[in-house]
Amino acid sequence: MKKLFEEDDNEYSGIDKAKILVTVLPFVLIVIILAITLIANSIKKRGDDSDNLQQNIMEYADENQDAQTKESPQQVNSSSVVNQKDDAAVDTSGPMAEPTDNTANEADNQGDTEEDLTPDSSPTPYQQVMKAQKDYSKVEFHAEEQLQDMMAYWSDNNQKAINDLVYLDHYLAMSWSLKGTKNFYYYGDTNGNGQPNGKGVAVYADNQYYYGDWANGVRSGNGTWMHFHIHQTKNINDMYTYHHYTGGWANDLPQGEGSEHYDYDMNLVTGNEGYVTNRIGSYDAGLVNGEFYLITIYADDSTKEWNAKADHGAWIYQNENKDKKGNRTVYVEIQDPNNYVWLHPKKNVGIGVPCLIVPE
């Protein structure tokens, strides 16, 4: 009996194990499948997160690079910067309230170097700006025909057409052929000796042009002189793109009433400095001489208006005030008579139309 009982137990035990396997195995398989799915999704998510993180890093880097570019403005050539001071403190903006005690000022100025001096209030563009990237000696040009075309546009007061012409290769080559000389090509009226006399147009080196009256070979009467600052490579030094003088002339120099205008590369105009964009007054032998009205422009395109007086190339000081470096007041703002432009006496000499080529 015992043996039979033991055999029945083994038989039922096998049946129970089979039932258990049939019942549990599907659940085990489901758990395994779920586990595999979760692991796969986790791996995929990590990959996606990694890609997103990389993209975010790249975007952040780009944003920071843009910010650094904006925070690091290009350096400007300070030799032509108008130094405006509107404050009692020497290095800030505001009306100057320095005492006129000469002894104290002389003591303050001891040890100053030329680099310490306030930048010149008169524009001083580069005279030679034409640095060619090609050999213009191999570019064919016809001076008489080209100047004839230019004279027609000038007679019609078509400044845009003139601006377009001077950038053409054969016009650049015409000016380039005069590089290093004071010679010029001319087209227009002449006298019995073949000298320019009457109305005519001329081109000089460094992309300089003149149109107007002539007398016995020299600019005399009324006319306009233009200087185009043409750069064929990236420019980081010369703030000027163009300047001109128009008005009276005598013996090849500005004489009498006239005006100057300056255009700037505004990408190089930074900070709070003002730059003379218009200067209207009288000239003597090319130098400022008499009463002047000036306009300065700033980085935000705002402008200010000033009055000044000059005596044969030197600005007449507005008052006896000096700052600690010896700078004196040369322009007074029209809207605010307590605001001045300051200039050191060592630089207040020979101020006139810059860069003008005058044949000997």
Side-chain angles (χ1 to χ4, degrees):
M1 292 292 295
K2 186 176 181 180
K3 184 176 181 181
L4 289 174
F5 181 78
E6 288 178 355
E7 288 177 355
D8 291 340
D9 285 345
N10 289 335
E11 182 181 351
Y12 286 111
S13 176
I15 294 172
D16 290 340
K17 289 179 180 179
K19 288 181 178 180
I20 291 171
L21 288 174
V22 171
T23 303
V24 173
L25 184 60
F27 291 103
V28 173
L29 292 174
I30 291 172
V31 170
I32 293 172
I33 292 171
L34 289 175
I36 293 172
T37 302
L38 289 174
I39 293 171
N41 287 337
S42 176
I43 293 172
K44 182 177 185 301
K45 185 176 183 302
R46 288 180 183 177
D48 292 341
D49 289 344
S50 177
D51 292 341
N52 292 335
L53 178 61
Q54 181 66 22
Q55 179 66 26
N56 291 338
I57 290 173
M58 293 175 66
E59 291 176 356
Y60 179 77
D62 291 341
E63 290 173 359
N64 276 307
Q65 184 174 6
D66 291 342
Q68 290 174 0
T69 301
K70 293 178 181 178
E71 292 172 1
S72 304
Q74 299 185 45
Q75 296 297 314
V76 302
N77 181 2
S78 61
S79 65
S80 58
V81 171
V82 172
N83 189 1
Q84 177 192 329
K85 298 177 181 175
D86 300 20
D87 204 326
V90 174
D91 294 327
T92 59
S93 57
M96 198 63 192
E98 288 293 320
T100 57
D101 185 338
N102 291 334
T103 304
N105 283 313
E106 289 174 3
D108 287 335
N109 290 334
Q110 289 181 0
D112 284 350
T113 66
E114 188 67 23
E115 293 180 353
D116 294 326
L117 303 181
T118 302
D120 195 348
S121 65
S122 177
T124 53
Y126 289 1
Q127 180 160 351
Q128 294 292 335
V129 297
M130 192 176 187
K131 296 181 179 178
Q133 297 301 300
K134 63 189 299 182
D135 186 0
Y136 281 106
S137 65
K138 296 180 180 179
V139 177
E140 185 178 1
F141 67 90
H142 303 282
E144 183 175 348
E145 295 177 8
Q146 292 172 209
L147 291 176
Q148 183 178 5
D149 291 341
M150 177 171 280
M151 186 169 181
Y153 288 127
W154 225 317
S155 299
D156 292 338
N157 198 28
N158 191 341
Q159 183 64 50
K160 183 181 184 304
I162 295 172
N163 293 346
D164 291 340
L165 286 180
V166 300
Y167 280 85
L168 298 176
D169 273 359
H170 51 296
Y171 277 82
L172 291 171
M174 177 173 61
S175 179
W176 180 263
S177 69
L178 299 168
K179 185 175 176 63
T181 75
K182 295 184 177 182
N183 300 329
F184 59 94
Y185 295 116
Y186 174 81
Y187 175 83
D189 301 331
T190 59
N191 60 18
N193 297 322
Q195 296 174 314
N197 196 76
K199 192 75 70 177
V201 61
V203 58
Y204 302 78
D206 204 30
N207 304 306
Q208 297 191 23
Y209 294 85
Y210 172 84
Y211 170 77
D213 297 331
W214 298 74
N216 300 321
V218 299
R219 292 166 284 193
S220 183
N222 287 286
T224 297
W225 166 83
M226 296 182 176
H227 185 194
F228 296 88
H229 290 232
I230 299 175
H231 301 280
Q232 297 180 326
T233 58
K234 183 177 181 180
N235 171 42
I236 59 173
N237 295 315
D238 186 9
M239 299 185 62
Y240 299 84
T241 59
Y242 164 85
H243 69 290
H244 81 250
Y245 166 86
T246 186
W249 291 78
N251 196 30
D252 260 332
L253 294 169
Q255 183 72 34
E257 297 299 313
S259 65
E260 295 177 70
H261 174 76
Y262 297 82
D263 284 340
Y264 298 89
D265 181 346
M266 295 305 292
N267 293 321
L268 301 180
V269 175
T270 60
N272 298 320
E273 296 87 358
Y275 298 83
V276 174
T277 185
N278 286 294
R279 187 163 69 180
I280 304 170
S282 59
Y283 297 75
D284 183 32
L287 301 176
V288 293
N289 187 56
E291 295 187 355
F292 274 82
Y293 164 76
L294 305 98
I295 299 176
T296 53
I297 191 169
Y298 299 81
D300 61 358
D301 286 328
S302 64
T303 59
K304 289 186 178 182
E305 300 173 82
W306 312 82
N307 283 328
K309 292 182 179 180
D311 182 14
H312 294 92
W315 298 113
I316 298 173
Y317 302 121
Q318 298 289 330
N319 50 45
E320 296 300 320
N321 291 352
K322 295 181 181 179
D323 68 11
K324 293 182 178 180
K325 293 183 179 179
N327 299 308
R328 304 285 302 274
T329 57
V330 290
Y331 308 161
V332 57
E333 187 181 354
I334 294 176
Q335 286 75 22
D336 181 5
N338 293 317
N339 187 27
Y340 301 97
V341 166
W342 298 69
L343 181 67
H344 197 279
K346 288 184 178 180
K347 293 190 174 182
N348 190 20
V349 293
I351 295 172
V353 179
C355 305
L356 182 64
I357 294 176
V358 182
E360 296 175 351

